Amino acid sequence: MAENELIQNLQKVLASAEINNSLVRGLRQSCQAMESNFGEDFSKRAALVVLAKDVNNQDYQKLVRALAKDRNVPLLEVDSRKDLGQWSGLCKYDQTDTARKIRPCGVVVVTQFPADQQAASEIIMQHLGA
């Protein structure tokens, strides 16, 4: 599968998850979502972790990878924090639909795959081998 196709499907899933209120951003909330994987509340369980490769702090990356592995959550890595921030809605759009004021984001967690993006979700999971 082409990397481009995977990125396009990831963008669809992240955008839809944000709209459906099933996307958490940042280290603290992402760790909380992964740690609640054995809890009672199914709506807060982590379904997918997306980590930016260009996070400067190695401990940050190690923590996210270890938690994802420990809690059996699929982990997908992307190249840029800036791209991940834009895809997860941490930006403003101008009149020409160009992203402005993009806030970088190191990690996001999808707590539930959006029902309207089932095909895109399946493509991502096939890529991850889950």
Side-chain angles (χ1 to χ4, degrees), residues 16-75:
S16 185
E18 180 195 8
I19 291 168
N20 295 323
N21 209 17
S22 58
L23 182 72
V24 293
R25 304 173 196 92
L27 181 63
R28 182 180 174 145
Q29 289 181 332
S30 296
C31 289
Q32 286 175 344
M34 285 187 276
E35 288 192 354
S36 70
N37 258 17
F38 299 120
E40 298 291 323
D41 191 0
F42 289 103
S43 67
K44 293 183 181 176
R45 291 186 178 192
L48 174 69
V49 178
V50 184
L51 175 67
K53 292 178 186 174
D54 65 346
V55 172
N56 295 332
N57 190 338
Q58 293 300 318
D59 292 336
Y60 185 111
Q61 290 183 358
K62 286 179 187 177
L63 175 64
V64 172
R65 288 186 183 115
L67 263 176
K69 184 177 180 180
D70 184 52
R71 302 298 180 167
N72 298 322
V73 181
L75 175 71

Side-chain angles (χ1 to χ4, degrees), residues 52 54 78-88 90-91 99-106:
D54 65 346
V78 295
D79 293 330
S80 168
R81 293 178 23 220
K82 189 174 180 180
D83 288 342
L84 187 57
Q86 180 180 352
W87 299 339
S88 62
L90 294 175
C91 63
R100 304 282 182 206
K101 297 184 181 179
I102 301 170
R103 288 187 55 207
C105 184

